[in-house]
Amino acid sequence: MADVWTLMGGDGVPSADGDGTPARLVGREHESETLHTLLEKQRLVTVAGGVGVGKSRLAADAVAEAAARRPGTRLMLVRWPEAGQPGAPESLTAAVIEAAAGIRGRRGATLADRLRATDVLLFLDDIDPVHAECVGLVQTLLEFVPTLRVLVTARRPLGLGAETVLRLKPLAVEPPAGQRTAPAVELFLETAAAVREGFTADGADLRAVADICRSLGGLPLAVELAARQVVNGGGREAVNGGVRELAGRLRERQCWLSAPDMAVPRHRSLRDAVAAAYVLCDRDERIVWARASILPGAFDESTAAFVCAGGGLEPARVPACLARLAAIGVLTPVRDPGGIREPRYRMTLVAHDFGGERLREAREFEVAAERRAIHFQRVAALAENLWSLGSQPQAVRLVMEEAEGLSAMLAYAPRQPELAAAALESVLNLWFWWAVYDRVDEGRRHLLRLLPMCREDGLLTARGLCLTAWLTAYGDPYGASELLRHAWPAAVLAGDDATIGRIAHVQGMLALHRGDLERATEQFQEAARTIPPQAPGGLSPVVSLAALAVTQAGRTPRAARRSARSALRQPGIRGDAWACLVARYAQAFVDQSDGRSARARQRAHRALAALDDRLPAPHGCRALRDLLTDIDRGSRSDGVPSALVPRGRAAVSLSALVGSGVPG
């Protein structure tokens, strides 16, 4: 049953907060002023937001302020204390009638008569369990009582035409301009100080508090629970150590946070607070919530439909569930749901943690992980196809959008061996992301974890060993040589000419590292002859020809110019932006080595101008800029001999051609 009060303006609004709550609203100055203005000008205002965002606290302060400004105002407060239990039919109407009984009126006066008798501000707090009834009741009251003002707090708006909605978001976790402390950090510190007098944090402890607030996404209830968790942990040394320990624990899980002294029962545990929203969802929404928690970061509507469907839930029903979960704050829209592109969502951190618990309880985690692996395997294959077919900017944007999901899938795959082959294929399809965009360490780490689990697939093994050797070539030349020793027979047995040619290219890199120019020349020539034009899954013969040109520049300039021109005449060069960049760099390097600085400068500027500055810089950009610096200084490149040892600018220049892992 609801709690009801009828108060005169100037009386304090009963608080739902427990001891230790900061006396003032923290980080809500703008929202508070906005709400005060809305209550003065609008008849129906709804403060909407997700679990634990602080709707009731903000609204209660605003109601008290509004009543203080108008002393004759009669306040009617109806608060639903058990917001996780569906309300009985007509229970809200009965509660409002009970509250209105405190307003004097003639015998037999109706509810509308009593509300018309004075200036009334009706505050309906936490009405989610009776949301449907509230819509009808408020609409009727506003129609029959022209002087009535209504303030509602709920996870989703009522959807009435006269409604003005103030959507409340979590507190910022980074300091605003001109301030030193983020609002979420300020709330943590004030809560801790209210519970334990004299609490302070500075230095490493203050940084740990900031990490805690980031892990919790700035959610006020979670921040308050975390602060109580710390200060209730013992003496000062224990508290200071507890801050740093808590920061580490919250990076993985959040729902375990609790504080038994909170006044509202569901606020005593973050898990209980989220469960209050969960139990009000229908079956389909609960299933989608749990299964979508397997997706970290942002995800498209179609992705969720594929991952969440099954077990009686049709894919066509998933989009509506996503929209309803977004309405109650479980999901945050990343794109405008009404835009031309399909909707994209991100699950809030605590909802993600809670959904993961429900998924494991239902014993569906492995099935959901398998569907996630299938989806992101397709994403990686699509990205590789886009790259190979000349749409490299689209490929990079796709990987950037799906990076969190891809990383989660690849990190989890070794724990479920049947997913290893799909994960390894995904890593191989993303070769350009690791090698061209300076994710060498991440790519190599995934390969070294997955390759031992996929030894039965000869083709995947050969490609994986070759890519690992490429990414390892300058960091660990001996290790790269050992990897190639195993990759060569596997590639020959699989009849994979592209991998055989790419093995030759890596061997050329290793020869350059040793200073063996003749061997390097032979290997780059072999690679350029063997790799089929426009072969997917790795570097093209254009890159091998460009590496050959750089190798020849110091000894045989004429042959170097022929190799550089040949690289730019290869089939499909115009559709391979990165290979074209590498070839143009090789041409400019050869010109600079031959004393043609003006031409080298022109080629370098042209290559840099063709890049899309909205995307990460690929291998070659830094080398081109260093080449321009050498030209401006009037120095002449020494050719390949200066690039034999992978140190400094020479190594960076060479990495532009071979993707060795040296930042370029």
Side-chain angles (χ1 to χ4, degrees):
M1 187 61 183
D3 297 329
V4 299
W5 291 270
T6 304
L7 309 168
M8 285 300 297
D11 294 341
V13 177
S15 174
D17 300 316
D19 295 336
T21 299
R24 68 181 186 93
L25 278 173
V26 179
R28 294 298 191 193
E29 293 79 11
H30 174 71
E31 293 89 342
S32 181
E33 186 61 34
T34 300
L35 186 54
H36 290 156
T37 302
L38 291 176
L39 287 176
E40 290 291 331
K41 297 181 178 180
Q42 306 295 331
R43 295 186 62 204
L44 172 59
V45 179
T46 298
V47 180
V51 170
V53 81
K55 304 180 291 294
S56 297
R57 178 75 189 279
L58 177 70
D61 278 24
V63 166
E65 177 67 21
R69 293 179 182 180
R70 299 168 67 170
T73 300
R74 179 77 68 166
L75 300 180
M76 288 175 50
L77 170 59
V78 177
R79 174 175 291 147
W80 216 266
E82 297 299 329
Q85 300 296 327
E90 305 299 325
S91 54
L92 179 63
T93 303
V96 173
I97 292 173
E98 180 184 349
I103 302 175
R104 291 182 180 180
R106 59 180 175 82
R107 175 176 289 184
T110 65
L111 174 61
D113 291 335
R114 291 181 181 276
L115 296 179
R116 280 195 293 261
T118 185
D119 180 20
V120 176
L121 174 56
L122 175 60
F123 179 19
L124 304 176
D125 192 18
D126 279 339
I127 53 81
D128 295 284
V130 287
H131 189 277
E133 182 188 354
C134 185
V135 173
L137 176 62
V138 170
Q139 186 175 30
T140 302
L141 290 177
L142 291 176
E143 181 179 354
F144 286 96
V145 186
T147 59
L148 179 66
R149 291 176 296 149
V150 181
L151 174 62
V152 177
T153 65
R155 297 187 192 102
R156 57 191 172 105
L158 302 182
L160 296 175
E163 182 181 27
T164 301
V165 180
L166 175 61
R167 292 192 177 275
L168 212 55
K169 297 180 179 179
L171 295 173
V173 295
E174 299 299 336
Q179 297 185 22
R180 298 182 61 184
T181 307
V185 174
E186 193 176 349
L187 175 62
F188 184 102
L189 297 176
E190 291 201 13
T191 302
V195 175
R196 172 171 292 189
E197 187 176 352
F199 174 85
T200 59
D202 51 22
D205 290 333
L206 188 59
R207 289 191 293 273
V209 169
D211 288 342
I212 289 171
C213 294
R214 291 189 193 96
S215 297
L216 298 172
L219 188 68
L221 174 61
V223 171
E224 290 191 29
L225 289 173
R228 292 167 183 269
Q229 192 89 29
V230 168
V231 297
N232 290 330
R236 177 175 176 79
E237 292 185 2
V239 167
N240 292 340
V243 171
R244 295 186 286 273
E245 179 185 354
L246 184 63
R249 292 180 65 186
L250 289 177
R251 293 190 186 100
E252 299 296 328
R253 306 287 296 277
Q254 297 89 31
C255 277
W256 59 270
L257 282 172
S258 62
D261 56 342
M262 297 289 278
V264 179
R266 69 177 185 278
H267 287 175
R268 294 169 187 165
S269 160
L270 193 55
R271 181 178 290 108
D272 291 344
V274 181
Y278 181 80
V279 298
L280 296 178
C281 295
D282 64 27
R283 177 181 176 275
D284 286 356
E285 291 164 3
R286 295 181 189 184
I287 292 173
V288 170
W289 183 341
R291 293 177 181 174
S293 68
I294 198 74
L295 300 170
F299 54 87
D300 288 335
E301 185 180 84
S302 58
T303 302
F306 174 77
V307 171
C308 298
L313 178 62
E314 297 297 327
R317 301 212 300 269
V318 173
C321 294
L322 295 173
R324 292 195 293 270
L325 290 174
I328 63 172
V330 173
L331 301 176
T332 302
V334 176
R335 292 192 194 119
D336 179 8
I340 58 174
R341 300 179 67 185
E342 69 172 309
R344 189 170 175 84
Y345 301 96
R346 180 185 295 272
M347 188 171 288
T348 61
L349 293 175
V350 292
H352 191 277
D353 188 18
F354 184 87
E357 291 181 351
R358 305 287 79 72
L359 191 64
R360 288 180 172 85
E361 282 183 3
R363 299 183 179 180
E364 290 187 345
F365 188 90
E366 288 74 16
V367 176
E370 184 177 357
R371 281 181 169 261
R372 178 181 64 181
I374 293 171
H375 169 74
F376 285 109
Q377 182 184 17
R378 294 173 180 173
V379 169
L382 175 59
E384 209 291 323
N385 286 336
L386 288 170
W387 181 276
S388 299
L389 296 175
S391 298
Q392 294 182 3
Q394 290 90 329
V396 176
R397 289 191 185 96
L398 175 62
V399 177
M400 290 173 66
E401 275 194 349
E402 304 294 344
E404 290 178 276
L406 286 164
S407 295
M409 182 271 282
L410 296 175
Y412 175 77
R415 305 179 200 174
Q416 201 166 328
E418 60 269 25
L419 304 181
L424 179 57
E425 184 178 341
S426 299
V427 175
L428 296 175
N429 281 329
L430 295 173
W431 66 271
F432 62 89
W433 187 242
W434 320 124
V436 179
Y437 289 96
D438 291 333
R439 268 76 178 182
V440 171
D441 291 339
E442 182 182 357
R444 184 169 54 232
R445 184 171 63 252
H446 289 314
L447 286 164
L448 292 175
R449 294 176 67 201
L450 293 169
L451 277 169
M453 305 176 70
C454 302
R455 291 173 178 169
E456 295 181 1
D457 192 321
L459 180 57
L460 276 183
T461 299
R463 291 177 58 200
L465 291 170
C466 178
L467 178 57
T468 309
W470 184 20
L471 300 178
T472 307
Y474 280 164
D476 181 9
Y478 176 78
S481 297
E482 286 297 302
L483 290 167
L484 293 179
R485 188 168 63 85
H486 295 287
W488 173 259
V492 171
L493 288 173
D496 186 357
D497 289 344
T499 300
I500 293 171
R502 288 160 186 156
I503 290 172
H505 181 97
V506 180
Q507 288 174 332
M509 292 166 54
L510 296 174
L512 274 177
H513 182 82
R514 296 191 303 269
D516 189 346
L517 298 185
E518 291 186 5
R519 176 67 173 167
T521 299
E522 292 173 1
Q523 292 299 324
F524 288 135
Q525 288 173 338
E526 178 68 19
R529 285 194 301 266
T530 307
I531 301 173
Q534 299 175 288
L539 56 82
S540 70
V542 173
V543 180
S544 297
L545 286 168
L548 177 61
V550 171
T551 306
Q552 296 169 328
R555 302 173 65 201
T556 54
R558 184 173 297 178
R561 285 195 295 274
R562 283 198 303 269
S563 298
R565 285 196 296 268
S566 178
L568 287 167
R569 292 171 182 164
Q570 290 295 301
I573 182 65
R574 300 302 174 192
D576 192 340
W578 176 63
C580 187
L581 174 74
V582 170
R584 290 191 182 281
Y585 168 79
Q587 205 171 35
F589 183 87
V590 171
D591 285 336
Q592 169 69 351
S593 298
D594 202 23
R596 304 180 183 187
S597 298
R599 183 179 294 181
R601 181 187 291 107
Q602 183 181 15
R603 294 189 193 281
H605 278 301
R606 187 184 303 168
L608 288 172
L611 294 174
D612 188 342
D613 57 7
R614 294 169 296 180
L615 299 175
H619 268 297
C621 291
R622 181 176 168 184
L624 281 164
R625 294 189 182 102
D626 287 342
L627 184 62
L628 287 170
T629 300
D630 286 342
I631 294 171
D632 292 338
R633 289 175 179 171
S635 60
R636 178 172 172 171
S637 296
D638 296 327
V640 173
S642 67
L644 293 179
V645 180
R647 297 190 185 96
R649 190 160 64 236
V652 170
S653 299
L654 191 58
S655 75
L657 300 177
V658 297
S660 63
V662 182

